[in-house]
């Protein structure tokens, strides 16, 4: 008899650490990648430069959404067919995925080039920062293909059994960006354009590393015919990649609403439009460094959820959920303390500003992120429900915070409270998503308790 899979036998704490650590590292590096430009631009161009990169950032979110659609969709189909011993089908998904990455990257780049002014205005660009935003985005748009390649391709590389190479592609690009930023910005005196070129070069190198791997997959032999796009494989990819795509794409609407809200209501406040716009961009990117830990833990827990639920080891499923939530809350509690105690110091890392700049920054960090410690429960709960075969419940939880709660609140409350309405929209949405998650998870736990009783009987 074959030995039972370690997912069903080994200690949960050991398994969670083993599976979550690579995901956490990769996600933190990815989040850090997005904040490097903000740091150097803040110390060279200043507040207006940070505001400009903030309004350009939704285009990065679009690229990442496309990458998730193709990457998760193709990797899932690849593994499913490899498990069924259908290598000839599996490699078709590899080839079609890479072709689709390049096509979608080209389309996005062309759209941005043709409609750049309209896009930036939609994302909240003011007249004062338009030139900076255009300069930055014109250059970074050249990297969209490679950004999609590196983020979608790494999912396939992990699926092929090479998580270390997958992680290294992100690490190399990030390190290169960090090295080139100060050289281009300060030594060559290129300003915000230097930060943009440093970002693009890092993305190009990461993308090339992915393409090099694409020629030497370990488990299948990919040939030229496999790269020919075929509707069947593309449809299958899209079907399994839609959920993560929608989850990521929802952030674009959050960014759009947030940016336009702070511009409109900021202009009616003592802070003006540009200060809130710069603070929001910095705050969200700093927050994502910590939140990446929670997402990484959630991803690491996924195989434990799925395997043990399928094996009817429901107590191990519950133990995994509780341990994942507990560990994630510990990390995010540290973030909460930093945001509440040291907001001025955090903002100071990204350059100097006026008294109003730091005043608004302190308010934003302390009010908007007051529920930070509870935030991991939503993504872990959504992943838990999806992993045990409850995709509708998982999708519902995924959309609660951003779409169902935050966006309506961020539109309605500022009408009555001005820019302060946006500040309190965040914690209200966080708490509402937390309650919804707990209710659905408790309901699922009760169902598993009944299943445990049947198994024991």
């Amino acid at each position: 008899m074959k030995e039972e899979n370690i997912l069903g036998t080994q200690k949960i704490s050991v398994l969670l650490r083993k599976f979550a650590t690579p995901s956490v590292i990769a996600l933190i590096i990815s989040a850090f990648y997005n904040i490097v430009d903000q740091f150097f631009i803040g110390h060279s161009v200043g507040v207006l430069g940070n505001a400009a990169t903030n309004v350009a950032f939704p285009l990065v979110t679009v690229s990442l959404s496309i990458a998730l659609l193709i990457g998760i969709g193709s990797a899932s189909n690849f593994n499913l067919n490899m498990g069924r011993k259908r290598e000839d089908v599996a490699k078709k998904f590899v080839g079609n995925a890479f072709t689709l990455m390049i096509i979608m990257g080209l389309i996005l780049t062309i759209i941005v080039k043709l409609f750049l002014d309209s896009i930036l205005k939609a994302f909240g660009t003011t007249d004062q920062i338009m030139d900076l935003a255009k300069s930055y985005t014109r250059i970074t748009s050249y990297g969209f293909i490679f950004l999609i390649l590196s983020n979608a391709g790494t999912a396939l590389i992990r699926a092929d059994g090479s998580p270390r190479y997958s992680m290294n592609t992100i690490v190399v690009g990030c390190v290169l960006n960090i090295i080139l930023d100060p050289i281009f910005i300060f030594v060559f005196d290129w300003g915000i354009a230097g930060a943009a070129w440093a970002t693009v070069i890092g993305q190009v190198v990461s993308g090339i590393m992915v393409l090099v791997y694409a020629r030497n997959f370990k488990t299948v032999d990919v040939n030229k015919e496999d790269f020919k796009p075929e509707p069947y494989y593309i449809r299958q990819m899209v079907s399994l990649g839609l959920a993560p795509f929608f989850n990521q794409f929802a952030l674009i609407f959050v960014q759009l609403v947030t940016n336009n809200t702070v511009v409109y209501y900021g202009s009616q406040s003592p802070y003006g439009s540009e200060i809130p716009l710069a603070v929001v961009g910095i705050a969200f990117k700093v927050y994502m460094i910590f939140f990446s830990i929670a997402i990484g833990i959630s991803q690491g827990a996924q195989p434990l959820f799925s395997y043990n639920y399928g094996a009817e080891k429901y107590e191990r499923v519950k133990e995994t959920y509780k341990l994942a939530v507990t560990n994630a809350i510990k990390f995010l509690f540290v973030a909460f303390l930093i945001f509440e105690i040291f907001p001025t110091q955090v903002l100071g890392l990204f350059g100097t500003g006026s008294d109003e700049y730091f005043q608004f920054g302190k308010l934003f960090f302390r009010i908007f992120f007051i529920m930070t410690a509870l935030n991991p429960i939503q993504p872990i709960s959504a992943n838990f429900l999806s992993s045990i075969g409850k995709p509708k419940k998982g999708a519902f939880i995924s959309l609660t915070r951003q779409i169902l709660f935050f966006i309506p609140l961020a539109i309605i409350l500022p009408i009555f409270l001005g820019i302060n309405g946006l500040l309190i929209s965040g914690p209200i949405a966080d708490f509402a998503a937390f309650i919804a998650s707990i209710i659905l998870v408790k309901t699922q736990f009760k169902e598993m308790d009944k299943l445990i009783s049947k198994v024991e009987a």
Side-chain angles (χ1 to χ4, degrees):
M1 294 179 62
K2 293 182 179 179
E3 292 185 11
E4 189 172 1
N5 194 305
I6 61 168
L7 293 173
T9 58
Q10 203 170 88
K11 192 175 179 181
I12 292 294
S13 59
V14 175
L15 286 170
L16 187 59
R17 184 165 57 249
K18 178 180 179 180
F19 280 84
T21 300
S23 293
V24 168
I25 292 172
L27 286 167
I28 288 177
I29 291 170
S30 182
F32 190 68
Y33 202 136
N34 293 326
I35 210 170
V36 168
D37 282 355
Q38 206 87 59
F39 175 83
F40 288 110
I41 289 171
H43 284 279
S44 58
V45 183
V47 173
L48 295 182
N50 277 331
T53 59
N54 179 27
V55 296
F57 190 70
L59 290 171
V60 174
T61 306
V62 173
S63 299
L64 294 176
S65 300
I66 295 170
L68 284 172
L69 176 72
I70 301 170
I72 301 299
S74 59
S76 300
N77 278 289
F78 175 82
N79 285 137
L80 282 170
N81 283 284
M82 289 298 291
R84 295 166 183 160
K85 308 299 182 185
R86 299 172 62 187
E87 290 85 357
D88 57 327
V89 176
K91 66 176 186 172
K92 287 285 187 182
F93 282 105
V94 175
N96 273 248
F98 278 100
T99 301
L100 192 59
M101 291 175 209
I102 294 171
I103 291 173
M104 293 302 293
L106 282 171
I107 291 173
L108 179 60
T109 301
I110 292 170
I111 290 173
V112 171
K113 294 294 184 186
L114 292 176
F115 306 104
L116 181 58
D117 285 22
S118 299
I119 291 170
L120 290 176
K121 287 178 181 178
F123 289 148
T125 307
T126 65
D127 292 339
Q128 198 171 357
I129 64 172
M130 176 59 85
D131 288 341
L132 287 171
K134 285 170 67 174
S135 175
Y136 185 80
T137 310
R138 276 199 192 103
I139 297 168
T140 55
S141 64
Y142 292 118
F144 289 157
I145 293 176
F146 299 96
L147 180 60
I148 292 171
L149 274 169
S150 58
N151 282 274
T154 50
L156 276 169
I157 293 170
R158 283 194 300 270
D160 191 47
S162 301
R164 182 172 295 180
Y165 188 95
S166 173
M167 186 176 68
N168 286 341
T169 61
I170 303 297
V171 172
V172 170
C174 183
V175 170
L176 191 57
N177 188 18
I178 294 170
I179 294 171
L180 294 178
D181 258 330
I183 295 173
F184 289 170
I185 293 172
F186 299 111
V187 179
F188 293 175
D189 196 26
W190 289 353
I192 199 168
W197 281 118
T199 297
V200 170
I201 291 171
Q203 291 167 349
V204 168
V205 172
S206 293
I208 290 173
M209 289 179 67
V210 169
L211 289 174
V212 168
Y213 188 94
R215 299 179 60 187
N216 299 283
F217 261 65
K218 295 195 304 184
T219 54
V220 292
D221 292 321
V222 184
N223 51 50
K224 291 181 180 179
E225 289 73 22
D226 297 322
F227 290 91
K228 181 182 178 181
E230 298 182 40
Y232 169 78
Y233 298 105
I234 293 173
R235 285 197 303 270
Q236 292 298 108
M237 274 190 279
V238 171
S239 66
L240 293 187
L242 273 179
F245 168 80
F246 283 134
N247 289 339
Q248 182 72 25
F249 203 77
L251 295 177
I252 298 170
F253 295 101
V254 172
Q255 291 166 334
L256 190 152
V257 170
T258 302
N259 287 350
N260 282 281
T261 299
V262 297
V263 167
Y264 181 78
Y265 291 100
S267 66
Q268 303 173 19
S269 73
Y271 309 112
S273 299
E274 283 74 25
I275 284 175
L277 201 57
V279 167
V280 167
I282 291 170
F284 280 165
K285 289 178 182 177
V286 171
Y287 171 76
M288 279 309 300
I289 292 177
F290 292 96
F291 196 61
S292 294
I293 299 173
I295 300 299
I297 291 173
S298 178
Q299 290 181 356
Q302 184 273 318
L304 282 70
F305 289 144
S306 299
Y307 180 87
N308 287 290
Y309 191 84
E312 298 184 347
K313 297 187 176 185
Y314 305 114
E315 289 293 351
R316 287 175 64 84
V317 176
K318 292 165 66 176
E319 183 184 352
T320 300
Y321 176 85
K322 292 174 183 177
L323 188 61
V325 165
T326 301
N327 286 332
I329 286 176
K330 288 177 182 177
F331 284 109
L332 269 294
F333 184 72
V334 174
F336 163 76
L337 293 177
I338 292 172
F339 295 160
E340 294 298 316
I341 301 172
F342 306 111
T344 302
Q345 288 81 356
V346 172
L347 284 169
L349 294 173
F350 300 92
T352 58
S354 63
D355 291 340
E356 290 81 8
Y357 171 72
F358 286 102
Q359 182 184 352
F360 180 78
K362 285 191 289 186
L363 280 174
F364 191 86
F365 272 101
R366 287 174 173 166
I367 297 174
F368 196 87
F369 294 131
I370 199 168
M371 291 292 173
T372 292
L374 296 180
N375 286 353
I377 292 173
Q378 184 221 11
I380 294 175
S381 299
N383 186 41
F384 158 68
L385 291 166
S386 297
S387 298
I388 62 171
K390 311 291 180 182
K392 292 182 180 179
K393 292 181 180 179
F396 171 75
I397 292 298
S398 295
L399 296 175
T400 51
R401 199 272 176 188
Q402 291 95 339
I403 302 299
L404 297 181
F405 299 138
F406 177 74
I407 289 180
L409 288 168
I411 293 173
I412 295 170
L413 292 183
I415 295 174
F416 304 99
L417 302 173
I419 198 165
N420 290 330
L422 176 70
L423 300 187
I424 65 173
S425 297
I428 294 174
D430 291 338
F431 187 72
F434 160 73
I435 294 298
S437 300
I438 291 299
I439 291 172
L440 284 182
V441 169
K442 280 192 172 183
T443 302
Q444 191 58 49
F445 272 25
K446 288 179 181 179
E447 290 183 19
M448 284 195 289
D449 288 338
K450 293 178 182 177
L451 294 172
I452 291 170
S453 299
K454 289 183 180 179
V455 171
E456 291 177 347

